[in-house]
Amino acid sequence: MMQTVSENFLSVAPEVRDAIGENRAVVALESTIISHGMPYPENVETAMRVEAVVRAQGAVPATIGILDGKLQAGLSADQIERVGKTGQQALKVSRRDIPFALADSTVVGATTVASTMIIADLAGIKVFATGGIGGVHRGAAQTMDISADLQELASTSVAVVCAGAKSILDIGLTCEYLETHGVPVIGYDTECWPAFYTRRTEHPVDYTLSDPAAVAGVLSRKWQLGLQGGVVVCVPVPVQYAQDEAVIDRAISSALAEADALGIRGKDTTPFLLEKIAAITGGSSLATNIELVLNNVLVGSRIAVEYAGRGG
Ligand code: PSU
Ligand code: MN
């Protein structure tokens, strides 16, 4: 089964394949954050800095996307440049979009948390670091807008290291959804969910752990037991880069009102809100975004190294 998948659909970079084969640490990275999460050229610069952080920890980076009609685990620098330059014209690929991106070899497919988890799992990568996850949107009781990221976390066995979820989402409902689906939320050195740009919310995490070996131990016990599904590891943005809560709250309210007035819906909602917030905060939210990603990747790499050290 695995062989057919790799032959027909999946291309794993040689460096990534070797590391997996030798049970060395690999960290998966997503590409929607490159195409839709940040502007060019900061997106490509950040993607390259992120890979350097992974390497400095002794792990191998695997930036994931869909290019040339293949699921790609381990994009080259040229491929990252292509995704970054394509920007919002890239196809934002969640679970439902994967076969369409594969069917057209001209498509530049940028993978979300959900589809990056799927491809990481197919390639045998267990730790994935990114900025923020999708979740239950505010007003979801009416709109039913719940990111496919959450359903993926319910079923696919990959750990996602992130800075929590933005308060463009309803973080309380996001917690409830994850709880219902048995997805553990670990606060890395924090007792509450962080809200991406800011460090604290009123929502408690399920467990607080403060060292990478402890997180790796939980991952390996969960999956060795056959308890399938993801794990969320929430890392607050480093204090010196955190945004002022009141400023971010105002930016988010105004972005939400504009999205509503313009009738923005579906997969366009999250990128629209991210761009508006960056514009309203005069770009300072972009700096926070970049720094929190680098920090999550640092923590994720340390977890991946410990996980590999345990033998999986
Ligand atoms: N949150 C961010 N930055 C991002 C995303 C979310 O702070 O770039 C992206 C991720 O790829 C995530 C996706 O998986 O948006 C969720 O989109 P949706 O809400 O349409 O499922
Ligand atoms: Mn949605």
Side-chain angles (χ1 to χ4, degrees):
M1 171 69 184
M2 185 61 209
Q3 206 168 7
T4 316
V5 169
S6 28
E7 279 167 10
N8 292 341
F9 303 122
L10 177 65
S11 168
V12 181
E15 186 192 16
V16 173
R17 186 179 296 279
D18 289 351
I20 294 167
E22 293 162 18
N23 195 35
R24 286 184 285 114
V26 180
V27 178
L29 303 157
E30 64 156 304
S31 45
T32 291
I33 191 176
I34 304 175
S35 60
H36 291 71
M38 292 180 196
Y40 182 81
E42 287 91 341
N43 55 1
V44 172
E45 281 161 24
T46 304
M48 299 316 294
R49 285 177 71 193
V50 155
E51 293 213 341
V53 170
V54 175
R55 289 186 198 284
Q57 295 303 311
V60 172
T63 301
I64 287 177
I66 304 181
L67 289 172
D68 307 322
K70 291 247 182 196
L71 311 174
Q72 307 279 351
L75 297 182
S76 66
D78 284 351
Q79 289 174 318
I80 288 175
E81 173 73 21
R82 209 170 133 199
V83 172
K85 255 196 161 145
T86 307
Q88 305 244 358
Q89 301 306 310
L91 182 67
K92 178 179 161 187
V93 178
S94 192
R95 169 178 274 268
R96 68 160 180 211
D97 311 289
I98 290 176
F100 299 90
L102 282 179
D104 180 347
S105 62
T106 66
V107 162
V108 174
T111 51
T112 62
V113 168
S115 56
T116 302
M117 289 178 75
I118 293 170
I119 297 168
D121 191 44
L122 285 171
I125 306 168
K126 306 310 292 176
V127 179
F128 162 25
T130 187
I133 57 170
V136 180
H137 280 258
R138 294 195 202 178
Q142 277 75 43
T143 63
M144 298 280 280
D145 190 350
I146 300 173
S147 173
D149 291 355
L150 297 186
Q151 197 51 44
E152 209 56 55
L153 281 160
S155 60
T156 300
S157 301
V158 171
V160 181
V161 183
C162 64
K166 286 200 174 66
S167 44
I168 57 173
L169 303 172
D170 187 323
I171 296 178
L173 291 186
T174 301
C175 295
E176 292 295 344
Y177 193 101
L178 291 170
E179 180 175 358
T180 298
H181 289 278
V183 179
V185 177
I186 298 172
Y188 192 82
D189 228 354
T190 181
E191 288 177 1
C192 64
W193 267 82
F196 195 87
Y197 298 117
T198 56
R199 290 173 56 84
R200 299 190 57 80
T201 62
E202 59 183 329
H203 305 286
V205 293
D206 303 323
Y207 295 91
T208 300
L209 297 175
S210 304
D211 93 281
V215 178
V218 168
L219 302 182
S220 73
R221 286 179 181 89
K222 173 175 163 70
W223 295 326
Q224 276 180 22
L225 256 175
L227 294 174
Q228 284 175 10
V231 174
V232 178
V233 182
C234 288
V235 188
V237 58
V239 64
Q240 66 272 35
Y241 301 114
Q243 294 274 326
D244 184 86
E245 242 168 80
V247 171
I248 281 294
D249 283 351
R250 274 201 303 276
I252 286 174
S253 306
S254 135
L256 285 167
E258 191 168 345
D260 197 38
L262 292 173
I264 307 284
R265 289 183 55 246
K267 72 198 286 193
D268 297 332
T269 304
T270 299
F272 177 87
L273 294 172
L274 299 184
E275 207 177 301
K276 282 290 154 206
I277 293 162
I280 295 167
T281 60
S284 85
S285 68
L286 177 60
T288 300
N289 197 345
I290 291 169
E291 293 298 337
L292 67 82
V293 170
L294 292 169
N295 187 55
N296 295 343
V297 169
L298 177 67
V299 172
S301 301
R302 289 179 176 160
I303 293 169
V305 167
E306 293 293 338
Y307 186 76
R310 299 178 63 93

